[in-house]
Amino acid sequence: VPNSQPDIATFAHSSVTHLSLSSIVRLGGMVFNPGADGFSLTTVAGSITFYGAGVVNNSGRMQFFNLVGGPAFQGIGFLNSSSAGEATTYNVGAGGSVDFDNFATAGSANFVLQGTPEDRAVIYFFGSSSGGRSTAASGTFTVLKGGFVIFGSATAGNATFDVAGGNMEFPPQGEGGQRLSDCHEGGNVVFGSE
C-alpha cells in the first residue's frame, strides 16, 4: 500500500469503487489511468497529504473525494506544486478541510463545502498557492452554509465562486477570483480584512 512522500497510488478498472480511508496517508500523487472506473474515496478519521503531482485523472470519468466530519482530522493537503486535478469533485462536510500550500493549485477541480456553525467545512490557501490556474481551466467552488474559503497571501487565479450562505475571506495582499458568480442566502465575501 503506497504511503510515503514519493509513492504513487494508481487506480484502474475495479469492481470496488467506494473506498474509505481511516488513517494518515502521504503520497507523491494519485493517478487514475485511462479507462479507470469512477471512484469515491471517503475519509473516515483519516487524511491524505500530496507532496508531488497530486491528483492526475486520465480516466475520462469524474472522481469523488468525500471529507466527512468526525473526532479526528478529516482532510486533504496539497503541498509543493501538487494539484487537485481535473474532473474531480471534493465534497467537504462538517469538520472536513482542504489545505493548499507552497505552489499547490486547485486545478480545475470542483469543491462543495457545507458545514455547520459549530463544525465548519474549510478550504485554506496559504503561501503561493492559488485557487485555480492562470488559464481558463480553473476551480469551481460552491460555498454553502457552514463553508469557508480563506486565502492567505495566495491568489484565487481564475476560479469561480458561488457563495450560498458560506463565507470567503481575501486579505489585502490576496487577489480575488476573476468571477464571483453569485453571493446569496446570507453569503459573505470579505476583501481586505486583516
Side-chain angles (χ1 to χ4, degrees), residues 6-32:
D7 288 352
I8 306 294
T10 305
F11 293 82
H13 173 71
S14 176
S15 61
V16 178
T17 58
H18 289 77
L19 308 170
S20 294
L21 176 68
S22 59
S23 62
I24 296 171
V25 175
R26 294 168 185 85
L27 294 172
M30 183 177 287
V31 176
F32 296 90

Side-chain angles (χ1 to χ4, degrees), residues 122-126 148-152 167-171:
V122 183
I123 294 181
Y124 296 100
F125 289 92
F126 300 106
F148 286 79
V149 178
I150 300 169
F151 287 85
N167 295 279
M168 292 185 58
E169 183 175 321
F170 296 91

Side-chain angles (χ1 to χ4, degrees), residues 108-131:
S108 61
N110 302 302
F111 297 86
V112 179
L113 292 86
Q114 184 166 17
T116 66
E118 299 81 26
D119 214 1
R120 298 175 178 161
V122 183
I123 294 181
Y124 296 100
F125 289 92
F126 300 106
S128 300
S129 61
S130 65

Side-chain angles (χ1 to χ4, degrees), residues 3-155:
N3 189 13
S4 70
Q5 289 186 20
D7 288 352
I8 306 294
T10 305
F11 293 82
H13 173 71
S14 176
S15 61
V16 178
T17 58
H18 289 77
L19 308 170
S20 294
L21 176 68
S22 59
S23 62
I24 296 171
V25 175
R26 294 168 185 85
L27 294 172
M30 183 177 287
V31 176
F32 296 90
N33 284 336
D37 290 301
F39 286 85
S40 179
L41 176 66
T42 302
T43 61
V44 182
S47 66
I48 304 173
T49 303
F50 292 103
Y51 295 88
V55 178
V56 178
N57 185 7
N58 298 318
S59 71
R61 294 189 170 103
M62 184 66 69
Q63 306 298 334
F64 292 90
F65 296 83
N66 305 300
L67 305 142
V68 297
F73 174 73
Q74 324 294 316
I76 296 181
F78 295 92
L79 302 177
N80 304 322
S81 296
S82 61
S83 172
E86 299 179 7
T88 53
T89 296
Y90 296 81
N91 297 303
V92 186
S97 72
V98 180
D99 299 339
F100 294 90
D101 205 350
N102 305 116
F103 294 97
T105 177
S108 61
N110 302 302
F111 297 86
V112 179
L113 292 86
Q114 184 166 17
T116 66
E118 299 81 26
D119 214 1
R120 298 175 178 161
V122 183
I123 294 181
Y124 296 100
F125 289 92
F126 300 106
S128 300
S129 61
S130 65
R133 296 183 185 149
S134 57
T135 65
S138 58
T140 301
F141 298 80
T142 302
V143 188
L144 304 172
K145 290 182 181 175
F148 286 79
V149 178
I150 300 169
F151 287 85
S153 59
T155 69

